[in-house]
């Protein structure tokens, strides 16, 4: 099965571990993930002002590219890309006046009306692959590992692009369950990590990052999974700083959900790419007897 | 002070002046001592500002009844200069300088937690965006991309830079 | 405004050919009658303009004469090189010989050949909104947005390839909503690509080493001392590789310098 996917800029550089793990896992499951032939940055955030249409052009252009190459569905891995593309798509479907203005402005492109379906990889796993199939393909079960699912904002807000309805089945928990882990519920699973404010107002972001980590740890999580490179930067790369400033008591290993997928499917280090994770992530899995080696590269 | 009966126009709707001026003692304004009364009159209310915020955000800011759920839910409120509730109140009163002069909208992370929790169904994230844009559109930058340290640019994921520049530069 | 007087401007170059048809063009808002066969550059000189800047190679490659114009009754902006674009009736034009775009300072010897280094020198890259005005403005038809996207995605080789035809005219930057200096960023990318990433031509390196080791000193010395007539003769009689010969199928008879 061939599936078009939109990686996003960060997955091509700093979050290769998010991408490589997903592509390898899908190959193992017989799904051919094909990157869009031509794409640009999605814009990362949805523009919220009524007259600010120019900032919708970037995600719409990507959707046009997907349509032009004959894709009816485009899968995303990064939560921010998912949110931005999905909201732009809704706008193009539902707002006739804005749709016309945007299409007119992009006179060099094919007119777009929301033809493409934007799907997050978690939903693709649930709806197209299926939890039962996934469960049957697991070779190295997470064996009860207590994993906290961190959704952050962009997978669940606003409601019209949420990857599942409010109070739904908790797709990330179902994912962990399918891999043989024990999902850990924690209060801060949809609390924003501070997002881009890590650059402009780091002290405000660090405060909330500390709260999220503490919330997951105190709920008994041994590890935390997420699907956004900016959340990963905030929640993983900033932990050392938070430990030394006393904002968190101990470090918590953080992984992209695709990495645990690759590991559970029994794929090697070149698939899980733990070499790109923070110190301690490899050691934690090694201690659990998973075949992961640090420093290995594809 | 405004006579009780004088109507205040905003967004094409007519509100009794009294409804607008009543809870002023709760409104702490920068540069004023806490709980000091401030003068609200037809002269101080910037109707054009109220209209611009309403148009850009597409929200009826007068729906806000000051419950404060937004600030309670907001992950960034601990570091916010003015709580979102106060921004809403000052916006209702057309206090342009106080709203635009506050760093609150630039401390917002656009996470939509306030919008998801507002009992009045106001999409506060859109109001914050409108307030931000009214400043940014005067060719003002709240962060200067050229001055971000090279190590920081090298370290941050691209989506952090893109989103931050989109929300904080003109 | 009264009807414009038809005048033949006295420039120092173009002279109105006998019976040539003239057409009106508007340079910076002022109307001129110029021969319809001229390029914008020659038409402007015909009309009396003298270029101190805004002209260079006159061959469409130096990037000094980018020109923005509109056609009558059309809102759209068009872009071209003044030395390459033929005038059209009622075109409104202005040259933009220089644009004040940000240019980073770096030492190419010390730079690390990774995307992060480019991002750090030009963080404004991340203000791109993909409006595509850059691509529309490029007189060389470079897919500017595509190479900017490639740089953001960290693909230096792809960006270098896409931007290869850039002549540094700056029209992209003049139209950029994010205030990016696309052409300077692309130049940095090509420099990094050329110096660190592109595979080195081994045969060239071998020959440079041979030259530096003095292998051709004697031959060059002889050539320098040679009289003009003899030099001309051996130049004309030199062995040349025939056109379109398959790779590796030809060798010169004289192989002493290979």
């Amino acid at each position: 099965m061939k599936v078009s996917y939109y990686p996003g800029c960060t997955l091509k550089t700093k979050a290769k571990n998010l991408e490589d793990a997903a592509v390898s896992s899908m190959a193992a499951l017989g799904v051919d993930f094909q990157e869009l032939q031509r794409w640009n940055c999605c814009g990362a955030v949805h523009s919220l002002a009524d007259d600010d249409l120019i900032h919708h052009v970037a995600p719409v252009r990507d959707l046009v590219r997907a349509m032009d190459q004959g894709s009816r569905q485009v899968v995303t891995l990064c939560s921010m890309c998912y949110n931005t593309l999905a909201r732009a798509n809704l706008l193009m479907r539902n707002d006739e006046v804005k749709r016309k203005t945007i299409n007119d402005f992009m006179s060099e492109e094919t007119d777009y009306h929301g033809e493409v379906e934007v799907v997050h990889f978690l939903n693709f796993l649930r709806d197209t692959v299926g939890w039962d199939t996934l469960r049957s393909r697991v070779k190295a079960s997470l064996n009860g590992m207590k994993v906290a699912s961190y959704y952050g904002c962009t997978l669940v807000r606003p409601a019209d692009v949420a990857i599942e309805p409010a109070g739904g089945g908790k797709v990330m928990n179902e994912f962990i369950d399918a891999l043989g882990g024990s999902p850990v519920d924690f209060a801060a699973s949809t609390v924003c990590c501070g997002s881009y404010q890590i650059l402009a107002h780091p002290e405000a972001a660090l405060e909330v990052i500390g709260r999220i980590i503490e919330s997951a740890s105190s709920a008994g999580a041994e590890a935390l999974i997420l699907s956004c490179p900016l959340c990963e930067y905030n929640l993983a790369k900033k932990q050392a700083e938070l430990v030394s400033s006393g904002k968190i008591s101990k470090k918590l290993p953080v992984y992209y959900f695709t990495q645990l997928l690759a590991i559970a499917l029994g794929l090697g280090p070149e698939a899980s790419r733990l070499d790109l994770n923070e110190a301690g992530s490899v050691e934690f899995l090694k201690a659990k007897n998973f075949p992961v080696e640090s420093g290995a590269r594809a | 002070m405004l006579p009780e009966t004088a109507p205040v126009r905003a967004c094409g709707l007519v509100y009794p002046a009294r409804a607008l001026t009543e809870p002023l003692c709760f409104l702490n304004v920068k540069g004023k001592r806490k709980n000091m009364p401030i003068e609200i009159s037809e002269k101080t209310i910037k109707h054009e500002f109220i209209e611009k915020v309403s148009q850009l955000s597409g929200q009826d800011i007068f729906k806000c009844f000051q419950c404060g759920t937004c600030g309670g839910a907001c992950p960034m409120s601990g570091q916010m200069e003015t709580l979102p509730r106060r921004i809403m109140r000052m916006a209702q009163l057309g206090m342009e300088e106080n709203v635009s002069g506050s760093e609150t909208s630039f401390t917002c992370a656009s996470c939509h937690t306030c919008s998801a929790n507002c009992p009045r169904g106001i999409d506060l994230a859109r109001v914050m965006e409108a307030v931000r844009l009214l400043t940014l559109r005067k060719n003002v930058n709240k962060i200067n991309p050229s001055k971000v340290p090279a190590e920081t640019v090298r370290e941050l994921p691209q989506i952090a830079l893109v989103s931050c520049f989109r929300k904080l530069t003109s | 405004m009264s009807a414009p007087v038809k005048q033949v401007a006295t420039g120092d170059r173009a002279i109105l050919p006998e019976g040539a048809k003239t057409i009106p063009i508007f340079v910076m808002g002022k109307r001129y009658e110029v021969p319809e066969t001229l390029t914008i550059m020659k038409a402007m000189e015909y009309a009396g303009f003298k270029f101190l800047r805004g002209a260079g190679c006159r061959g469409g490659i130096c990037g000094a004469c980018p020109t923005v114009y509109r056609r009558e009754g059309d809102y759209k902006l068009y872009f071209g090189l003044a030395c390459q674009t033929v005038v059209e009736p009622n075109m409104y034009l202005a040259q933009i010989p220089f644009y004040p775009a940000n240019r980073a300072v770096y030492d190419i010897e010390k730079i690390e050949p990774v995307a992060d280094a480019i991002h750090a020198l030009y963080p404004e890259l991340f203000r791109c909104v993909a409006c595509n005005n850059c691509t529309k403005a490029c007189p060389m038809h470079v897919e500017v947005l595509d190479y900017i996207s490639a740089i953001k995605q960290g693909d230096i080789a792809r960006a270098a390839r896409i931007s290869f035809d850039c002549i540094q005219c700056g029209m992209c930057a003049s139209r950029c909503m994010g205030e990016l200096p696309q052409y300077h960023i692309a130049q940095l990318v090509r420099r990094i690509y050329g110096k660190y990433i592109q595979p080195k031509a081994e045969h060239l390196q071998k020959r440079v080493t041979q030259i530096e080791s003095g292998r051709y000193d004697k031959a060059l010395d002889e050539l320098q001392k040679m009289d003009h007539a003899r030099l001309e003769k051996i130049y004309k009689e030199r062995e040349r590789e025939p056109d379109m010969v398959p790779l590796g199928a030809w060798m010169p008879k004289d192989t002493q310098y290979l």
Side-chain angles (χ1 to χ4, degrees):
Chain A
M1 178 171 58
K2 283 182 185 171
V3 176
S4 293
Y5 95 100
Y6 173 87
C9 305
T10 314
L11 274 74
K12 289 290 162 192
T13 56
K14 297 178 175 82
K16 279 301 279 177
N17 37 357
L18 174 54
E19 182 186 30
D20 288 355
V23 174
S24 311
S25 300
M26 284 302 97
L29 293 176
V31 179
D32 185 5
F33 252 27
Q34 293 191 330
E35 180 179 327
L36 288 187
Q37 287 148 16
R38 195 180 174 196
W39 55 275
N40 50 262
C41 166
C42 67
V45 277
H46 184 70
S47 172
L48 298 166
D50 192 61
D51 66 350
D52 186 23
L53 300 187
I54 191 70
H55 287 101
H56 297 310
V57 165
V60 171
R61 201 181 292 284
D62 285 319
L63 296 167
V64 171
R65 300 271 187 259
M67 180 179 70
D68 282 351
Q69 70 168 58
S71 306
R72 289 168 62 192
Q73 186 193 56
V74 62
V75 174
T76 64
L77 294 166
C78 163
S79 320
M80 271 184 125
C81 297
Y82 166 74
N83 190 278
T84 312
L85 291 171
R87 289 166 88 175
N89 207 27
L90 275 188
L91 180 91
M92 293 302 276
R93 279 183 189 173
N94 301 335
D95 194 320
E96 205 177 318
V97 177
K98 286 178 181 156
R99 173 170 68 224
K100 184 173 184 326
T101 311
I102 291 170
N103 276 330
D104 285 352
F105 177 79
M106 299 168 68
S107 55
E108 72 277 20
E109 308 284 2
T110 321
D111 274 6
Y112 184 75
H113 314 81
E115 284 87 343
V116 176
E117 199 72 44
V118 181
V119 179
H120 189 267
F121 186 49
L122 279 164
N123 281 1
F124 179 82
L125 285 173
R126 182 190 64 194
D127 303 333
T128 308
V129 176
W131 299 135
D132 290 336
T133 310
L134 191 55
R135 199 170 275 119
S136 71
R137 303 294 292 269
V138 167
K139 289 190 178 135
S141 162
L142 295 186
N143 209 11
M145 188 199 294
K146 291 176 189 152
V147 185
S149 316
Y150 178 71
Y151 291 81
C153 323
T154 44
L155 291 181
V156 293
R157 282 185 297 272
D160 51 7
V161 294
I163 59 168
E164 59 184 342
K170 296 267 184 198
V171 61
M172 245 171 171
N173 281 1
E174 291 163 10
F175 167 77
I176 296 165
D177 187 62
L179 302 185
S182 310
V184 175
D185 283 321
F186 71 114
S189 74
T190 62
V191 170
C192 171
C193 69
S195 188
Y196 54 83
Q197 291 295 1
I198 194 68
L199 177 55
H201 294 94
E203 61 305 320
L206 287 170
E207 196 183 295
V208 69
I209 294 164
R211 286 212 308 265
I212 294 165
I213 302 286
E214 280 298 283
S215 167
S217 293
S218 60
E222 302 171 273
L224 179 141
I225 57 165
L226 38 70
S227 86
C228 167
L230 181 45
C231 298
E232 198 268 349
Y233 178 81
N234 285 349
L235 294 183
K237 304 234 166 15
K238 290 288 160 188
Q239 276 192 33
E241 203 176 318
L242 290 167
V243 169
S244 55
S245 67
K247 280 206 169 76
I248 59 172
S249 47
K250 61 173 173 49
K251 286 177 104 177
L252 178 69
V254 172
Y255 306 95
Y256 287 118
F257 72 104
T258 56
Q259 293 184 288
L260 290 196
L261 174 64
I263 288 164
L265 291 175
L267 305 176
E270 65 287 344
S272 54
R273 294 302 303 267
L274 290 160
D275 55 308
L276 295 174
N277 288 52
E278 287 303 287
S281 331
V282 174
E283 290 72 9
F284 169 74
L285 290 173
K286 248 177 161 175
K288 295 252 170 195
N289 291 323
F290 286 100
V292 286
E293 279 305 320
S294 67
R297 278 189 167 270
Chain B
M1 292 293 279
L2 213 59
E4 275 190 17
T5 48
V8 175
R9 276 177 302 107
C11 316
L13 298 168
V14 179
Y15 293 84
R18 191 159 170 204
L20 287 178
T21 51
E22 240 165 14
L24 278 188
C25 54
F26 301 114
L27 199 68
N28 296 326
V29 173
K30 199 160 63 167
K32 293 258 182 192
R33 271 202 301 129
K34 274 205 161 183
N35 298 333
M36 280 288 285
I38 50 161
E39 193 199 312
I40 301 289
S41 72
E42 190 60 31
K43 273 185 207 159
T44 68
I45 295 173
K46 303 272 170 57
H47 294 286
E48 207 175 306
F49 179 72
I50 298 172
E51 243 157 73
K52 273 187 191 164
V53 171
S54 307
Q55 275 170 11
L56 283 183
S57 67
Q59 305 299 306
D60 181 358
I61 57 172
F62 289 97
K63 273 188 183 170
C64 173
F65 59 15
Q66 294 289 294
C67 67
T69 306
C70 43
C74 175
M76 309 303 279
S77 62
Q79 300 278 338
M80 266 178 185
E81 189 181 35
T82 322
L83 285 173
R85 169 180 74 80
R86 293 202 168 122
I87 293 289
M88 291 301 289
R89 187 70 186 132
M90 294 194 289
Q92 289 174 342
L93 295 171
M95 295 164 70
E96 179 175 8
E97 282 165 30
N98 299 87
V99 174
S100 295
S102 166
E103 282 299 307
T104 291
S105 67
F106 296 103
T107 317
C108 162
S110 309
C111 74
H112 290 264
T113 311
C114 48
S115 310
N117 287 289
C118 177
R120 301 288 287 154
I122 302 170
D123 195 341
L124 256 87
R126 287 183 187 271
V127 178
M128 290 295 162
E129 179 103 329
V131 171
R132 270 194 297 273
L133 283 179
L134 287 175
T135 298
L136 297 181
R137 285 182 181 179
K138 291 170 183 156
N139 206 14
V140 171
N141 270 5
K142 282 292 173 176
I143 184 165
N144 184 346
S146 302
K147 297 279 186 276
V148 178
E151 313 79 68
T152 310
V153 177
R154 296 185 64 141
E155 192 183 282
L156 282 171
Q158 289 96 313
I159 44 174
L161 295 160
V162 171
S163 50
C164 194
F165 294 169
R166 282 201 170 199
K167 296 298 184 192
L168 271 68
T169 68
S170 62
Chain C
M1 202 176 117
S2 58
V5 182
K6 190 172 177 180
Q7 59 178 26
V8 176
T10 51
D12 60 355
R13 280 170 194 272
I15 295 164
L16 184 64
E18 192 79 29
K21 199 178 151 206
T22 63
I23 54 168
I25 65 166
F26 295 82
V27 181
M28 290 182 279
K30 193 172 183 311
R31 188 180 197 270
Y32 298 90
E33 286 281 336
V34 298
E36 63 177 350
T37 53
L38 299 184
T39 61
I40 291 172
M41 181 170 282
K42 283 189 174 159
M44 284 175 71
E45 286 174 329
Y46 175 88
F49 287 88
K50 192 173 173 184
F51 290 108
L52 297 176
R53 292 210 63 171
C57 73
R58 294 172 181 263
I61 208 67
C62 81
C65 64
T67 304
V68 53
Y69 61 94
R70 278 201 319 103
R71 295 178 173 132
E72 191 182 19
D74 183 358
Y75 75 92
K76 240 181 148 42
L77 292 174
Y78 297 89
F79 301 83
L81 297 173
C83 72
Q84 299 296 298
T85 312
V86 176
V87 290
E88 293 172 34
N90 295 310
M91 76 197 302
Y92 264 75
L93 65 91
Q95 270 197 297
I96 308 182
F98 176 79
Y99 202 79
N102 178 34
R103 188 164 60 170
V105 177
Y106 50 84
D107 182 346
I108 195 70
E109 299 295 332
K110 290 179 186 152
I111 212 160
E112 210 190 326
V114 293
D116 289 353
I118 301 164
H119 297 170
L121 283 167
Y122 289 107
E124 60 266 43
L125 260 171
F126 301 104
R127 281 174 41 80
C128 169
V129 300
C131 69
N132 205 34
N133 274 353
C134 47
T135 306
K136 289 188 208 165
C138 181
M140 298 302 284
H141 310 294
V142 172
E143 294 282 358
V144 184
L145 172 60
D146 282 6
Y147 79 63
I148 289 295
S149 295
I151 298 168
K152 286 168 87 175
Q153 294 157 17
D155 196 338
I156 296 175
R158 183 172 147 81
R161 194 173 67 245
I162 300 174
S163 72
F164 187 78
D165 287 339
C166 172
I167 54 170
Q168 309 288 117
C169 74
M171 283 302 90
C172 44
S174 80
R175 294 288 294 154
C176 181
M177 183 181 157
E179 294 143 300
L180 273 69
Q182 292 88 337
Y183 62 121
H184 289 321
I185 308 176
Q187 189 175 50
L188 167 60
V189 163
R190 289 192 304 277
R191 282 173 175 160
I192 289 177
Y193 180 72
K195 185 167 174 60
Y196 297 104
I197 299 169
Q198 190 177 32
K200 295 281 173 278
E202 282 171 29
H203 58 295
L204 178 66
Q205 189 52 48
K206 187 178 148 204
R207 183 57 42 92
V208 170
T209 313
Q210 286 173 340
I211 293 168
E212 281 172 350
S213 68
R215 184 170 168 190
Y216 299 100
D217 286 0
K218 188 164 163 278
L220 286 167
D221 204 40
E222 279 171 16
L223 283 173
Q224 276 185 323
K225 284 177 186 153
M226 207 173 278
D227 66 76
H228 192 268
R230 167 97 182 121
L231 197 62
E232 202 172 297
K233 184 171 180 293
I234 67 162
Y235 178 74
K236 280 181 183 159
E237 287 170 359
R238 76 192 189 282
E239 278 186 87
R240 286 187 64 187
E241 182 177 355
D243 292 339
M244 311 301 286
V245 70
L247 194 69
W250 177 83
M251 281 290 271
K253 288 190 191 88
D254 181 2
T255 57
Q256 62 169 318
Y257 297 118
L258 292 184

